[in-house]
Amino acid sequence: MTLTKLRSKKELRSKISKIKEEQHINKILDGTDNIIFLKRLDGGIIHINRQFFNLFPEYGSIKEFTQQHNSIFELFDNDDPNYIDGNYFEDNIYELLNQQISHKVKITRQERTLFFRATMKAVSLEKNKEEFVITLSDITQLEHEMQKNIQQERILQQQAKMASMGEMIGNIAHQWRQPLNTLSTLNTLLFLNYEENDSLSPKQMEDFKKRSNFLIQKMSTTIDDFRNFFLPKAKNKSSFKLKSAIEQTIGFMQDTYIEHHIQLVQDINSEIHITSYQNELEQVLLNLFNNAKDAHISNKTINPKVIVRLIKEGSHSSITIEDNAGGIDPKIIDKVFEPYFSTKFENQGTGIGLYMSKMIIEESIEGQLTIENHNEGVLATINFTKKPSFRQDKAPLSRASMKEVCSGCHYRESYKKNQK
């Protein structure tokens, strides 16, 4: 056998071995659930695995794909700022290869949109050639779930806003009742004076004008106060006293407590400043006060009482609101922070008040909200210890922004303290 034939056989074995190796690699690449592109930096496509053609059957082969596109980057949508487009990959390819950071991309083909997490990594299959692999992991189902959750969150916030508006109107009605009754009495007295004397003196008219204008102004001020309370503002933190936030909230709901003969005990002498969102905190406090009120009304509590305390122990501060309305059934107490969970009748609450309150306290205020049975009722505690920013010096009080929170989530049943 000549030397030439030996060399030919050796080259043939080498080619066969290389083909078998490529076939083995292709089988591995085709067996994954991810889309894999092997590409040269100079633009040539080396391999596209089977998963790509499974998801995009309009391309029958690598040849068909390369006839229409130079790179998979050309398939990436560029109409959504939440996802990276193909131009970004093309313009930053060397930086992306060095970083090996994944990016979310979106591909829309034939009225169908799929979402992927794209990663790039440099590889070396042949000497003196720069190559890289693009991996696309299908996250379509995950993205749909995330979008659904975002939409659900928007619905919850909208429902919370509507509930807050309803609560605002209800509280305005309560605060208007007394001046309206007084105004009605003034009108009656004015008419009786006219009937009795067949005329009215200038002094009587002036007195009626002053008193009625005073009452009307008070009612107008009530509307302005509530409008400012519920109006979302620029989301900026401010330094304020926790005591001021509590007193401001009590000012909006104390008339309903008086109407239902609920004793409100305040132990809020501590002077504590925090830097946070005052309006959002007041929304949560209003919700907790209304929950306690609703529980007393529902359970027809004898000698109803609500105690609000402002507590400071070292660097830890908290606000507690405690009632004696009988407590929450232990079977459901673990569910009170779930969205839409409520023991109210359908026309009484949406079940999102405590869910939104907890979200506000933990995400905006950066604290903790807990609900537990305590003594003869429920103890709600807001802890400001997650990322505290407390100071004991005086600071100017300014109003921050709010996330609307439903204030009607009544979370109890007729669970009395004497039930076993």
Side-chain angles (χ1 to χ4, degrees):
M1 186 176 290
T2 64
L3 184 60
T4 303
K5 288 183 177 180
L6 286 173
R7 285 177 177 171
S8 297
K9 280 191 174 183
K10 188 175 181 181
E11 290 175 357
L12 181 60
R13 288 194 192 101
S14 176
K15 288 181 179 180
I16 293 172
S17 175
K18 187 175 181 180
I19 291 171
K20 286 183 177 180
E21 184 179 349
E22 288 178 354
Q23 289 175 341
H24 181 66
I25 292 173
N26 290 343
K27 284 183 180 180
I28 294 174
L29 296 178
D30 290 341
T32 180
D33 291 333
N34 297 330
I35 292 175
I36 297 177
F37 267 66
L38 289 175
K39 194 175 186 299
R40 292 191 180 93
L41 282 175
D42 61 13
I45 295 175
I46 302 170
H47 180 74
I48 305 175
N49 74 334
R50 176 53 50 189
Q51 182 63 6
F52 173 79
F53 300 106
N54 291 338
L55 292 177
F56 301 99
E58 60 268 29
Y59 303 105
S61 64
I62 296 177
K63 183 178 179 180
E64 287 186 26
F65 179 83
T66 55
Q67 286 174 347
Q68 301 179 50
H69 307 285
N70 294 320
S71 170
I72 192 171
F73 300 147
E74 295 178 10
L75 300 185
F76 297 169
D77 294 356
N78 59 4
D79 61 346
D80 192 333
N82 294 315
Y83 301 91
I84 304 299
D85 61 28
N87 292 332
Y88 177 84
F89 281 91
E90 294 282 6
D91 296 340
N92 300 277
I93 189 166
Y94 288 102
E95 182 181 350
L96 292 171
L97 286 173
N98 290 329
Q99 292 177 347
Q100 296 184 23
I101 298 174
S102 63
H103 295 277
K104 291 197 297 184
V105 300
K106 184 173 70 167
I107 299 177
T108 302
R109 302 291 296 175
Q110 297 183 345
E111 299 183 353
R112 185 175 65 130
T113 299
L114 298 177
F115 301 89
F116 300 93
R117 189 171 294 280
T119 56
M120 296 173 55
K121 184 177 181 181
V123 294
S124 180
L125 300 179
E126 297 183 41
K127 290 182 179 180
N128 302 321
K129 291 193 176 178
E130 294 181 310
E131 300 149 341
F132 63 96
V133 59
I134 308 164
T135 304
L136 300 181
S137 304
D138 191 350
I139 57 170
T140 303
Q141 184 176 354
L142 178 61
E143 287 296 294
H144 286 162
E145 288 297 323
M146 289 179 61
Q147 290 173 4
K148 188 187 299 182
N149 290 339
I150 292 172
Q151 184 64 26
Q152 188 72 9
E153 197 69 37
R154 288 173 180 167
I155 293 172
L156 287 173
Q157 291 177 0
Q158 183 64 20
Q159 290 178 334
K161 182 178 180 180
M162 294 298 102
S164 292
M165 290 176 64
E167 187 66 32
M168 176 181 69
I169 294 171
N171 281 313
I172 288 176
H174 282 296
Q175 295 212 19
W176 273 21
R177 185 165 292 131
Q178 182 177 350
L180 280 174
N181 288 337
T182 305
L183 196 57
S184 176
T185 301
L186 287 176
N187 282 325
T188 301
L189 289 174
L190 190 69
F191 180 74
L192 291 175
N193 285 331
Y194 178 78
E195 277 195 331
E196 183 178 339
N197 302 314
D198 203 28
S199 65
L200 294 172
S201 67
K203 184 179 182 306
Q204 288 175 318
M205 293 297 297
E206 183 65 24
D207 185 50
F208 173 79
K209 178 182 176 182
K210 286 182 179 180
R211 296 184 65 183
S212 60
N213 282 343
F214 172 78
L215 293 170
I216 292 170
Q217 185 60 42
K218 181 179 178 182
M219 293 164 67
S220 177
T221 302
T222 299
I223 293 178
D224 291 338
D225 289 344
F226 273 94
R227 182 186 62 185
N228 293 333
F229 185 77
F230 284 88
L231 183 66
K233 298 174 179 63
K235 193 171 179 64
N236 297 312
K237 288 186 177 181
S238 64
S239 179
F240 62 93
K241 290 182 182 179
L242 289 177
K243 179 179 179 180
S244 297
I246 296 171
E247 291 175 340
Q248 180 81 359
T249 308
I250 290 174
F252 286 108
M253 38 65 59
Q254 63 183 355
D255 283 1
T256 61
Y257 270 50
I258 293 171
E259 179 184 354
H260 295 287
H261 308 288
I262 300 172
Q263 181 185 2
L264 181 59
V265 180
Q266 302 179 47
D267 182 8
I268 54 173
N269 294 323
S270 181
E271 295 290 331
I272 304 169
H273 285 84
I274 69 167
T275 300
S276 191
Y277 304 105
Q278 181 176 352
N279 198 264
E280 293 188 11
L281 176 60
E282 290 175 0
Q283 286 290 319
V284 173
L285 292 173
L286 183 62
N287 186 38
L288 297 176
F289 278 123
N290 281 326
N291 282 342
K293 175 201 70 178
D294 292 342
H296 281 307
I297 295 171
S298 176
N299 295 337
K300 299 178 181 178
T301 310
I302 300 174
N303 299 322
K305 180 190 296 186
V306 173
I307 305 172
V308 55
R309 296 184 178 92
L310 179 55
I311 303 168
K312 180 169 179 61
E313 296 176 353
S315 62
H316 299 266
S317 298
S318 60
I319 297 173
T320 65
I321 297 176
E322 182 180 0
D323 62 55
N324 62 336
I328 307 172
D329 189 337
K331 294 178 182 178
I332 65 171
I333 195 169
D334 292 335
K335 300 180 180 180
V336 296
F337 290 119
E338 295 179 4
Y340 295 112
F341 179 81
S342 175
T343 59
K344 279 188 170 185
F345 293 108
E346 290 184 3
N347 62 342
Q348 290 180 306
T350 62
I352 61 176
L354 284 176
Y355 168 76
M356 293 293 290
S357 294
K358 188 174 181 68
M359 185 175 69
I360 289 172
I361 293 299
E362 294 186 354
E363 295 185 8
S364 294
I365 308 298
E366 296 184 325
Q368 295 175 329
L369 173 61
T370 60
I371 298 289
E372 60 183 311
N373 285 323
H374 182 74
N375 293 333
E376 299 179 345
V378 165
L379 176 66
T381 304
I382 302 174
N383 286 307
F384 303 92
T385 56
K386 188 175 178 182
K387 291 181 180 179
S389 177
F390 298 105
R391 17 177 286 181
Q392 291 298 313
D393 57 316
K394 292 185 179 181
L397 181 65
S398 62
R399 182 171 295 279
S401 68
M402 65 163 276
K403 277 183 183 176
E404 293 88 350
V405 52
C406 153
S407 60
C409 176
H410 174 37
Y411 43 77
R412 324 169 196 225
E413 295 172 335
S414 302
Y415 178 71
K416 301 293 186 179
K417 62 179 180 178
N418 58 350
Q419 286 183 320
K420 305 240 176 155

